[in-house]
Structures are given as C-alpha cells and as structure tokens.
Amino acid sequence: MRAIQFSTYLVFVTVLLLGYTQARAQSTSLEVLYQNTQNLAGEIAQLQTEAKALSGERQASLQLRITERQLELLTAFDTLSDRIVEEEAKDRAQTELKVKLAPQLLALGPLIKAAINRRLAAIDNLEQTHEVLSIIWMADYLEHNTFIDHAYLRLTQHAKNLADLQLDNAESTAYLHQALQQRAEVLAGQIALTQKELEANLHSLAASPDDAATQQTVKSLEDKQNITTDSLKNTVALLQENNLDAGRYKEILIKSTGDITADILDVNLLKRLSHAWLKNITDYALDNGAGLFFKIIVFLLILLVFHYLSRAGAKLLRKSLAKSTMPVSALMETMVVNLCRRMILLVGILLGLSQLGFSLAPILAGLGVAGFIIGFALQDTLGNFASGLMILIYRPYDVNDLIEAAGVQGRVQRMNLVSTTILTIDNQTLVIPNNKIWGDVIRNVTAQKHRRVDMVFGIGYSDDIEKAEKILKDILEVHPQVLSEPEYTVKLHTLNESSVDFIVRPWVETENYWDVYWDVTKSVKLRFDAEGISIPFPQRDIHIYQTEKTA
C-alpha cells in the first residue's frame, strides 16, 4: 500500500515539475528567440565589415555566405513572429517586443531582394567564370537556383509574418508578385531554349551515335533541363500560394516533363492542354497529312504484295520439295514452308516500316538483343527447339503416324520446333514438348506397311489338337485381309495349367490390324463352338478330407 502511495506521489511531483518547466520555457522562449535573431544579425554585420576589406573572388565568396546567413535570420524571424502571434492570441501583450522587432523585420525584405539579385547576376555571369555545361558550371547553376527558390519561399513567409504582426507588407508583397512572375517567365524561356539545343544535339547524335562529345553534351543539357524544371515547379507552387495565375507555366511543365500530377493539374489547365494538343494535331495533319496518307498507302501495298509473295513462295517451295529426290517428311515440309512464308512476311514488314520513316538499324539491333535475352531466359524452349530439329532430321515419325512416346499413344497431327500435337485414340488433343519425346523411346506403330497380328487361343486337354490346328488355318486362309506373304504362323505353343495354347500370327496391312484381330477372334469362337472344341478357363480341384474324432 505504501509503495502505491509513494508511486502516486512521485507521479504527481513529476507532473508538477514538467508543468513548471514548460511554463518557464514559454515565458522565456520569446526572449531566447529574440536573442537568437540579434546574434545572427550581429554575425551578418561582422561578415559585411570583413567583406568590405576584401576584393575579387574572396569578396564574392564571402558575400554568398552573407546571403545564406540572411536566410537563416529570416527563418529565425519567422519563428519569432509566429510565437508573438500565438502569445497575442492568448491575450498576452507583446507590444514592446513588436516595436523592437518592427524596424528589423521591415529591413529584412530589401536584404533578401538584394541577395536574390546577386544570385541572379551570378547565374548570368557563369559563362564568364566557367565553361558552359562543365561540372563546375552545373554545380554553381544548381546551387544558385536552389538558393533563389529558397529565398522566394522565405520572402513569401516574411510577407505573411508582416501581415500577421499588422505591419506594412505592401512593398514586400508587390516585389514578390512581380519577381515570381518574372522568374517564371525566365525559367520557361530557359526550358524552351535548352529543349531546342537538346533536340539539335540528339539529331547530331542520331547521325553519329559514337560521338562521345555529343553524348556528354546531351547528358549535361538534360541535367540543366532538370534543374530548371525543378525551379519552375517551385515557382509555380509559390505563384499558387500568392493567388497568382500559374496555368501557362503548368502547361509548360507538362509539355517539358510529360508528368501530369495532381498538384499542377486543374480544369482550366486541362482545357488549355486539350486546345493545344488539338491544335498541334490539326496543324500536323494539315502540314503532313498528304505525305503521311501516301506513306500509309505504300505501307499497306507493301504488306499486301509480300502477303501474296509469301503464299506464292510457299506454294513453289512445296512443289519443289515434292519433286525432290531427297526424302522429306511431311513434318519437315510443313516446317520449312511455314518458316519461308514467315520470313518473306517479316521482310515485307521491315520494308514497310522503312517507308514510314522508321530506321531499320535500331529495329534489327533491338531484335538481336531481344533474341539473345529471350534465348537466355527460355533455355528449356531452346532444348525443345534442338529436339525438334533432331526429330525433323532423323524422322522417327510423320504426320498421321500412330506413335507411342512420352507415355502417350496417338496419331501425330502436327509439329513445330517446340512441340508435337498428338490426337489420342479416345480423341484427346495432347501437346507434348519435343525434348520429352526425343529423350524417350519412340514407338512408331504405323511406320511399316505390314504388321503381324499376335493372338493366342487355348483348347482343352481332351480336345483334338490336329482338328483345332486345321480350324485355325482354315480361318486365316479364307480371311481376305490376311496376307499370303509373309506366311501366317499357327503352332502349338504352350501347355498351360488349364489349356493347350496355340499361337496364331497372321500378317496384314498396317491399317487392317484391328479388323483382322477382331474378325479372327470372333471366327475362332464360333468355329470352336460348332466343332465341339472347348475353350477352357482356369480350374482348381478341391479335395476335402474328414477325420473322425476319438473319444
């Protein structure tokens, strides 16, 4: 119980201490914040005194550091101004501090303006100090633009602080509005000029792809364009924050970057973009419509001509293979003819694309690279391809052959270099990868013209063997589909447990195999029954022994 009371007391004391500390911090925070601003202002004054004693690059470098400190001072004043507004909202009078701050706050606007102007001048003078688009030039260009964007952001906050403290912000606001609109126009112009330079260098690079200097120039121009575009995005955001029209600059951003984001999109902009795109399409159609229409007609004519050429070439090749003395399977014939036809069509498509203005060299190079990547990714498919070639070369089966391979029995319907399609006896279509067929035993049932039918018939031990043999021979001799050559075989083969077995092996045409099998089996059953010859089945004799129980 005492422990609980002690814990409660400790929590109560802790809360009181935290409340006292927070109240103390609130009572002194304004003084601390104000002192921070004064310290920064003193550092800036000291740096300005030192800069007057310097000249040249050292003075310019120190001046840049001064502008950075001025932005820090502006941020400190923002924090202090927000704090004063909060205190006034709580009915805490801060009139004395506002009076002390007013001259300093009002003096900050001209200081930031001067810092921005120095940075803009530094950008204009970059060509005199560094080689254009060099690494140093690009670093300074990025640094200056980043500073300017931040300065305009701080200046926007400064104008808001003046309004919150009921100080005159008309001059700062007027300058800010004019400067933001002017900066947006300048950045938009720079984007347009850089884009033209970039397009010209890309055109030169297309003519000379291995030109290292042009490649570096293109990369530098793209980096510059990205920096300028980012600055325009920041400026557009500030224009919107100051309730200024930014529609035309949003349009430029979308056209230059291709990115349509929620923060730069509105209904009016969509209308303007739609009108601009429609106008561009209309102008292009008026300027190039006739030529483009003619190119499309030529493209379609080329495809049509090569379509008929592919059919004629396939027909001619099929006739040539049919007359060839070299034995060619139907599978290989179909494969070669289809490949020839597709190659002719591919040539036609490439020629048609060239008429539309497409360069064939990049397309062919892309096809080569894509083929390498696809081949590496589809190694199993390449195995099927190799197996398909081996099947075509060695021809273990052909179309319509009845085969047994990969655990499947059926007739071959068609084949390509990847798979073989088989129709099973019960009318199922199976597509089997070629490597599974080539890697297994292939049993071609219909490869030979003649086939032997193997049958076994049994008679009882008490039946006449000679009579049974004569009946079997008579059945084979009268059957029209049993061949005389090779000669059939009827022999007593096995003395089984319950029967005496004859083997009956007639030769037939392959397509008559099952007809002969079924006919002979039926005839044997009917003749044996008519002649009194039994067809035995397995039998067992069971002997039961009974023993008498003794008392």
Side-chain angles (χ1 to χ4, degrees):
M1 181 66 68
R2 289 184 179 180
I4 297 175
Q5 292 176 349
F6 177 76
S7 300
T8 305
Y9 174 76
L10 182 61
V11 170
F12 177 73
V13 172
T14 303
V15 171
L16 287 179
L17 289 175
L18 288 174
Y20 172 78
T21 304
Q22 189 173 18
R24 179 67 178 169
Q26 290 179 349
S27 65
T28 60
S29 60
L30 286 175
E31 297 175 7
V32 173
L33 291 174
Y34 176 72
Q35 190 59 44
N36 288 340
T37 60
Q38 301 310 302
N39 293 339
L40 281 172
E43 292 178 10
I44 293 171
Q46 178 64 29
L47 290 174
Q48 288 174 335
T49 303
E50 295 176 3
K52 293 179 181 179
L54 302 175
S55 61
E57 184 177 353
R58 295 175 63 194
Q59 186 183 47
S61 300
L62 192 56
Q63 192 63 49
L64 293 179
R65 291 292 299 160
I66 291 172
T67 57
E68 292 176 358
R69 292 295 180 87
Q70 288 171 340
L71 285 183
E72 294 179 15
L73 177 61
L74 187 57
T75 302
F77 274 117
D78 289 342
T79 305
L80 181 57
S81 300
D82 292 338
R83 182 66 181 147
I84 292 174
V85 173
E86 290 177 5
E87 294 296 325
E88 287 183 337
K90 298 175 183 178
D91 297 329
R92 297 177 184 175
Q94 303 296 336
T95 305
E96 181 179 352
L97 187 55
K98 283 173 60 175
V99 171
K100 292 168 62 177
L101 283 177
Q104 300 180 44
L105 285 172
L106 293 173
L108 279 176
L111 291 177
I112 300 304
K113 298 174 198 174
I116 292 174
N117 290 332
R118 281 193 294 271
R119 291 289 183 145
L120 292 173
I123 292 177
D124 295 336
N125 294 328
L126 278 178
E127 296 182 2
Q128 302 176 6
T129 56
H130 306 298
E131 182 182 354
V132 178
L133 298 181
S134 64
I135 296 177
I136 300 177
W137 185 95
M138 196 67 67
D140 286 351
Y141 184 75
L142 173 61
E143 198 273 332
H144 292 322
N145 277 286
T146 302
F147 178 88
I148 293 170
D149 293 339
H150 188 57
Y152 279 125
L153 176 62
R154 302 312 321 153
L155 195 57
T156 300
Q157 183 62 35
H158 174 65
K160 179 179 178 297
N161 292 336
L162 292 178
D164 291 340
L165 295 175
Q166 299 177 354
L167 298 175
D168 183 16
N169 70 339
E171 181 180 355
S172 296
T173 302
Y175 167 79
L176 183 63
H177 290 182
Q178 180 183 1
L180 287 175
Q181 291 175 329
Q182 183 181 16
R183 177 160 174 77
E185 288 291 340
V186 171
L187 291 173
Q190 288 178 343
I191 289 174
L193 291 175
T194 305
Q195 186 63 34
K196 289 182 179 179
E197 293 181 33
L198 186 58
E199 290 175 356
N201 281 274
L202 287 173
H203 183 73
S204 300
L205 189 61
S208 303
D210 298 330
D211 190 345
T214 306
Q215 292 176 355
Q216 182 59 41
T217 302
V218 167
K219 184 180 182 305
S220 299
L221 287 171
E222 289 175 346
D223 292 341
K224 179 187 176 184
Q225 190 76 312
N226 292 334
I227 295 171
T228 310
T229 302
D230 290 340
S231 292
L232 183 58
K233 287 180 182 178
N234 295 329
T235 306
V236 165
L238 291 176
L239 285 171
Q240 290 180 300
E241 187 173 344
N242 287 275
N243 298 318
L244 300 174
D245 181 26
R248 70 187 64 157
Y249 309 116
K250 293 180 182 180
E251 184 178 348
I252 292 172
L253 283 174
I254 293 177
K255 289 180 178 178
S256 61
T257 64
D259 296 332
I260 301 178
T261 55
D263 57 340
I264 65 173
L265 198 61
D266 55 40
V267 177
N268 293 328
L269 178 59
L270 282 175
K271 292 181 180 179
R272 294 175 62 170
L273 286 174
S274 301
H275 289 310
W277 290 336
L278 182 60
K279 184 177 183 302
N280 291 336
I281 293 173
T282 305
D283 293 342
Y284 182 82
L286 292 175
D287 295 339
N288 305 288
L292 182 60
F293 178 76
F294 179 74
K295 289 181 178 179
I296 293 175
I297 294 297
V298 172
F299 174 73
L300 295 176
L301 285 175
I302 290 175
L303 291 184
L304 184 62
V305 169
F306 274 85
H307 170 70
Y308 284 108
L309 283 178
S310 66
R311 294 180 61 180
K315 187 176 181 180
L316 181 62
L317 181 59
R318 188 176 285 109
K319 288 183 178 180
S320 300
L321 291 175
K323 295 179 180 180
S324 175
T325 57
M326 180 181 67
V328 178
S329 65
L331 284 176
M332 179 172 285
E333 178 183 335
T334 303
M335 180 75 64
V336 172
V337 170
N338 289 338
L339 182 62
C340 175
R341 183 175 180 179
R342 289 167 184 168
M343 290 299 296
I344 294 175
L345 284 176
L346 178 61
V347 172
I349 292 173
L350 292 177
L351 288 178
L353 291 176
S354 67
Q355 293 300 315
L356 288 178
F358 291 95
S359 177
L360 295 184
I363 295 176
L364 294 175
L367 288 175
V369 174
F372 176 78
I373 295 174
I374 292 173
F376 184 77
L378 303 177
Q379 299 183 39
D380 292 339
T381 303
L382 290 179
N384 291 325
F385 183 86
S387 298
L389 287 178
M390 299 299 291
I391 292 172
L392 290 176
I393 293 172
Y394 288 99
R395 299 180 298 167
Y397 55 83
D398 205 344
V399 176
N400 292 325
D401 280 355
L402 180 64
I403 68 170
E404 184 176 342
V408 175
Q409 186 178 40
R411 290 196 177 273
V412 179
Q413 281 192 311
R414 57 184 173 273
M415 174 189 167
N416 54 42
L417 288 176
V418 176
S419 62
T420 298
T421 302
I422 293 179
L423 183 65
T424 63
I425 297 174
D426 57 348
N427 206 34
Q428 298 183 54
T429 299
L430 302 180
V431 180
I432 305 174
N434 287 334
N435 61 355
K436 289 188 176 296
I437 294 177
W438 186 249
D440 198 357
V441 175
I442 302 174
R443 179 169 172 257
N444 193 331
V445 178
T446 57
Q448 302 298 323
K449 292 183 178 180
H450 299 159
R451 190 176 174 192
R452 191 181 71 184
V453 183
D454 290 353
M455 295 177 287
V456 177
F457 298 104
I459 65 174
Y461 272 91
S462 61
D463 292 323
D464 189 343
I465 294 176
E466 298 295 337
K467 183 179 179 181
E469 183 177 356
K470 184 177 184 304
I471 292 173
L472 293 173
K473 290 181 179 180
D474 289 343
I475 293 173
L476 296 182
E477 287 177 355
V478 299
H479 198 290
Q481 293 177 336
V482 174
L483 300 176
S484 58
E485 290 292 335
E487 187 178 359
Y488 62 80
T489 301
V490 177
K491 297 292 183 181
L492 179 62
H493 182 59
T494 306
L495 300 178
N496 274 328
E497 294 180 359
S498 302
S499 64
V500 176
D501 294 339
F502 284 89
I503 57 169
V504 179
R505 295 177 177 176
W507 287 86
V508 298
E509 299 285 345
T510 300
E511 61 269 18
N512 298 328
Y513 179 91
W514 287 108
D515 291 337
V516 172
Y517 185 95
W518 293 324
D519 290 348
V520 171
T521 302
K522 180 179 179 182
S523 298
V524 168
K525 171 62 173 151
L526 294 175
R527 287 288 303 275
F528 277 7
D529 288 346
E531 299 289 342
I533 296 176
S534 63
I535 301 177
F537 47 86
Q539 301 178 28
R540 290 290 184 272
D541 291 336
I542 300 175
H543 300 274
I544 299 175
Y545 298 94
Q546 186 173 6
T547 58
E548 294 182 358
K549 293 183 179 180
T550 58

